[in-house]
Amino acid sequence: MREPIIPENEVFLEMLGKTILLVTESKQLNILGQTFRPIFSGKVVEVTNGYITLDPAIIKMHNAPFYKFPTPLSFPMEAISVFTEFDPDRRIPLI
C-alpha cells in the first residue's frame, strides 16, 4: 500500500496523468556530454512524497528540442522550480 500524499504535495498529485512542462533549479545539466538547460516535459505517471516521475520524459535541448529520454525520469520535488500543464506539440524557443 502506498503512503498517502501529504497536503504540501497535493499540487503535484493533481497533475497525475497530465502532460506538464517542468524546470529544475539547476542552471544547466549534462547528460552524455550534452549540456542543456533543465527544461523537461512529459506525462506525470507517478507522484510520491519525494518525487514526481515523467514518462515519456522529453528533454528540451537546443540541438534536439524533442529528445525522448529512454526511461522514465524522476525529479525530487525540492529541485523543481516551475511546473505547469503543457501541450507537448507546442514549440518553445530555447535560445
Side-chain angles (χ1 to χ4, degrees), residues 19 60 66 86-92:
T19 300
K60 304 294 186 180
F66 292 97
F86 184 70
D87 176 359
D89 295 323
R90 182 173 181 190
R91 295 190 180 272
I92 56 174

Side-chain angles (χ1 to χ4, degrees), residues 39-53:
I39 304 170
F40 304 86
S41 66
K43 184 176 180 180
V44 178
V45 295
E46 184 178 21
V47 176
T48 68
N49 281 318
Y51 293 88
I52 183 171
T53 302

Side-chain angles (χ1 to χ4, degrees), residues 27-47:
K27 296 284 185 208
Q28 63 183 18
L29 298 172
N30 186 308
I31 293 178
L32 302 173
Q34 294 290 319
T35 301
F36 59 94
R37 294 181 185 159
I39 304 170
F40 304 86
S41 66
K43 184 176 180 180
V44 178
V45 295
E46 184 178 21
V47 176

Side-chain angles (χ1 to χ4, degrees), residues 13-88:
L13 190 59
E14 293 172 7
M15 295 292 128
L16 193 60
K18 297 179 181 177
T19 300
I20 66 168
L21 180 75
L22 182 146
V23 180
T24 64
E25 292 182 352
S26 301
K27 296 284 185 208
Q28 63 183 18
L29 298 172
N30 186 308
I31 293 178
L32 302 173
Q34 294 290 319
T35 301
F36 59 94
R37 294 181 185 159
I39 304 170
F40 304 86
S41 66
K43 184 176 180 180
V44 178
V45 295
E46 184 178 21
V47 176
T48 68
N49 281 318
Y51 293 88
I52 183 171
T53 302
L54 302 182
D55 186 25
I58 308 298
I59 301 173
K60 304 294 186 180
M61 288 191 264
H62 179 67
N63 60 342
F66 292 97
Y67 176 74
K68 183 178 175 181
F69 201 73
T71 63
L73 283 179
S74 295
F75 300 87
M77 289 178 180
E78 64 272 4
I80 297 172
S81 174
V82 176
F83 73 97
T84 186
E85 280 192 72
F86 184 70
D87 176 359

